[in-house]
Amino acid sequence: MEFRQAYYDEPLIKDIRSDSTFKISEDVDENLLSQDLKRKDLNLPEVSEVDVVRHYTRLSQMNYTVDVGIYPLGSCTMKYNPKYADRIASYEEFRNVHPFQPESTVQGTLQVMYELQEFLKKISDMDAVTLQPMAGADGEFTGILIIKKYFEDRHEDRTEIIIPDSAHGTNPASATMGGFDVVEIPSNSDGMVDLSALKAAVSKKTAAFMITNPNTLGIFEQHIVEIAKIIHDAGALLYYDGANLNAIFGITSPGIMGFDIVHFNLHKSFATPHGGGGPGAGPVAVKAFLSDFLPVPVVGYDGRRYFLDYGRKKSIGKVSSFYGSFSVLLRAWSYVIKNGDEGLKNATIRAVLNSNYLKKKVEGYYEVPYYPLKKHEFVLSTENTGRRALDIGKYLLDYGIHSPTVYFPLIVKEAMMIEPTETVSKADLDTYADVLISALKVPEEDLKSRPRNTAVSRIDEVKAARDLKVRW
């Protein structure tokens, strides 16, 4: 008897259930369960197939995704994710690989990982890469642990990490988790690192300076070479937060700028759907003098076979189970293969063009503070309009388009942080600008009543945060 026969044959199902092999123990203390958790019937509705299909199709239409329209969350790079990458990641030959298989049986998988390491080294102009970290913040923490181990190995007691006031919130969190004290420095009038403040903050206690470039305001740090010299002259390390890498592919790199460590957000810049809570991947690249501290294993190649290399005596150890988030690595590998050097460079050029085009369309209506030329994103302020960024964000939802990031970075009042990405059309940018401008022309009471056309109308955010409902 095959089990698939039993599945469709009720008498056989009963026979299986009566067999002691399949019998579930009934020796359960009923007092362990409260009355509201006990049930005898599921009480499922009796509905037709078409009603079920329509119900779940309507639910899916309530979700907003990058497949539907523009998703300009600043600092998130919510670009359209090409379907070829998803298809490759779903191949059975990759999907069914087990991490405990002998290396000889997974040479193709290891080859993909090795080649991705090489791609990331070239893109970043760094010397060694680990694919283990499972997200950007995990990559940051990995970098922090490498910094910590590096100075411990040198018997240097460095306890501080410097961070600009425009940094991502994960930067100080990662540094603190690594046991460091965080020193925050202000931006200058152009929205860049204040060099005087940086020089004043650097000391023998400084382990590293964490920064992304372009920064969170979408501004390229013009004095990055001088910044690198200040940090290195103090014996400290320069860490690159890779959140904004989409602005520099093919134009420059962390290695050229003088950085020692960089993490990548493969779920942002390299074709994995981002925004659903996972999965992610945050590989870390380092200069040669830090390569011995990378997590093990990395993937090696001896000219004949690919293998898992554990031979790093100063390694910080493993930072995730097994060898990383492979489906995300696979998408990234396919994205780089498909685009090549010129494709990645063109994506950067389009991302910067789209950002500055949209900025130009709205800056006569909204204030766009700091240095005028932006890269892949820009931050506007609604303060000069007398309207709240939150209200305008809610207004956008009524037009079927997603709000940008609001109230970040903290150094801009009533901030709206907009990153269109390279995959958005001119028509979408024009529509977005028109709706942003129209939000300033409706009566304020109308604006505060938005959204009205969505499945859920305006909610009390404070109550929602304090009175959590964790079950549907």
Side-chain angles (χ1 to χ4, degrees):
M1 180 192 71
E2 296 182 9
F3 182 75
R4 61 182 175 84
Q5 293 175 316
Y7 184 79
Y8 293 106
D9 193 321
E10 184 63 24
L12 290 176
I13 291 176
K14 291 179 180 178
D15 290 343
I16 290 174
R17 287 175 177 169
S18 64
D19 188 283
S20 60
T21 305
F22 293 92
K23 190 173 183 180
I24 299 174
S25 173
E26 297 178 358
D27 298 330
V28 177
D29 186 352
E30 293 189 0
N31 294 323
L32 293 176
L33 298 175
S34 60
Q35 289 298 321
D36 62 325
L37 291 178
K38 297 177 182 178
R39 65 185 182 190
K40 296 181 179 179
D41 300 309
L42 292 178
N43 295 321
L44 295 175
E46 292 292 335
V47 294
S48 68
E49 178 181 310
V50 66
D51 288 332
V52 173
V53 170
R54 285 175 177 170
H55 170 72
Y56 286 105
T57 300
R58 290 190 188 102
L59 287 180
S60 71
Q61 292 170 341
M62 291 166 62
N63 291 329
Y64 192 90
T65 73
V66 291
D67 289 352
V68 172
I70 183 173
Y71 212 132
L73 288 178
S75 202
C76 291
T77 314
M78 302 289 285
K79 64 170 73 178
Y80 171 75
N81 305 121
K83 298 308 175 214
Y84 67 77
D86 288 339
R87 183 177 181 184
I88 291 172
S90 68
Y91 283 170
E92 183 179 358
E93 291 82 356
F94 289 122
R95 187 160 36 89
N96 292 337
V97 168
H98 194 283
F100 285 149
Q101 283 183 227
E103 290 178 1
S104 61
T105 69
V106 289
Q107 284 294 294
T109 299
L110 293 176
Q111 179 180 349
V112 166
M113 296 173 70
Y114 178 82
E115 289 180 358
L116 180 59
Q117 288 175 181
E118 295 301 302
F119 292 154
L120 296 179
K121 283 162 57 176
K122 181 179 179 183
I123 288 169
S124 62
D125 282 298
M126 305 300 270
D127 301 312
V129 172
T130 174
L131 302 175
Q132 271 192 50
M134 303 294 255
D138 195 17
E140 279 182 24
F141 187 57
T142 299
I144 293 294
L145 293 181
I146 290 172
I147 292 169
K148 191 178 185 70
K149 189 71 176 286
Y150 171 73
F151 285 113
E152 286 176 353
D153 184 65
R154 292 170 61 87
H155 305 290
E156 295 184 37
D157 185 23
R158 293 180 179 258
T159 58
E160 295 178 350
I161 288 185
I162 302 172
I163 296 174
D165 59 3
S166 62
H168 298 117
T170 52
N171 291 174
S174 297
T176 302
M177 285 180 64
F180 290 97
D181 296 323
V182 173
V183 178
E184 182 180 281
I185 61 171
S187 300
N188 62 22
S189 58
D190 288 326
M192 304 177 206
V193 171
D194 186 320
L195 295 182
S196 297
L198 178 61
K199 290 176 183 177
V202 169
S203 72
K204 293 181 179 179
K205 294 182 179 180
T206 304
F209 182 38
M210 296 182 75
I211 186 175
T212 187
N213 193 25
N215 64 25
T216 303
L217 296 164
I219 299 169
F220 190 87
E221 295 285 351
Q222 296 180 0
H223 302 290
I224 190 61
V225 174
E226 186 175 351
I227 289 171
K229 186 176 187 308
I230 293 170
I231 297 301
H232 290 149
D233 284 351
L237 302 177
L238 193 58
Y239 183 96
Y240 188 95
D241 178 337
N244 297 338
L245 270 170
N246 211 54
I248 65 169
F249 287 143
I251 307 297
T252 185
S253 71
I256 290 174
M257 294 182 224
F259 285 86
D260 304 298
I261 307 175
V262 55
H263 85 259
F264 303 84
N265 295 82
L266 298 190
H267 49 288
K268 288 185 178 187
S269 312
F270 292 88
T272 286
H274 175 215
V284 171
V286 298
K287 287 295 188 180
F289 71 95
L290 294 171
S291 63
D292 280 346
F293 299 94
L294 288 176
V296 290
V298 296
V299 182
Y301 180 58
D302 63 7
R304 296 182 301 106
R305 65 183 182 91
Y306 299 91
F307 60 95
L308 295 172
D309 180 7
Y310 288 86
R312 294 174 188 266
K313 296 179 181 179
K314 299 178 182 180
S315 171
I316 62 170
K318 292 182 71 69
V319 295
S320 66
S321 59
F322 302 118
Y323 320 111
S325 187
F326 181 65
S327 67
V328 182
L329 304 179
L330 190 54
R331 288 183 177 92
W333 173 84
S334 64
Y335 184 75
V336 177
I337 289 283
K338 176 70 165 59
N339 283 280
D341 293 345
E342 283 303 307
L344 292 176
K345 182 178 179 179
N346 288 335
T348 292
I349 292 170
R350 290 196 304 272
V352 174
L353 175 63
N354 281 353
S355 173
N356 283 277
Y357 176 77
L358 183 55
K359 176 187 77 75
K360 190 69 175 177
K361 295 272 291 187
V362 302
E363 65 183 353
Y365 302 88
Y366 295 89
E367 179 189 2
V368 183
Y370 298 112
Y371 192 78
L373 179 62
K374 312 299 183 184
K375 296 304 176 184
H376 66 306
E377 66 189 7
F378 65 95
V379 179
L380 60 79
S381 172
T382 71
E383 188 180 29
N384 67 313
T385 69
R387 305 293 176 92
R388 292 198 309 160
L390 177 66
D391 294 333
I392 293 174
K394 300 291 187 184
Y395 178 83
L396 290 169
L397 304 182
D398 265 346
Y399 288 82
I401 53 181
H402 205 282
S403 168
T405 302
V406 297
Y407 299 117
F408 184 78
L410 300 178
I411 61 175
V412 176
K413 294 181 179 179
E414 294 295 330
M416 300 189 81
M417 187 181 183
I418 302 175
E419 182 182 1
T421 80
E422 73 277 11
T423 58
V424 177
S425 68
K426 180 177 177 296
D428 280 342
L429 294 173
D430 289 338
T431 298
Y432 206 83
D434 290 343
V435 178
L436 279 172
I437 294 167
S438 72
L440 303 178
K441 299 177 180 179
V442 300
E444 190 168 356
E445 59 272 17
D446 182 354
L447 196 64
K448 290 183 179 297
S449 70
R450 306 290 184 143
R452 299 197 295 261
N453 302 326
T454 53
V456 178
S457 59
R458 181 75 70 104
I459 63 171
D460 183 336
E461 288 92 355
V462 175
K463 182 177 181 356
R466 292 179 177 174
D467 185 17
L468 295 176
K469 296 292 188 294
V470 294
R471 293 183 60 190
W472 180 256

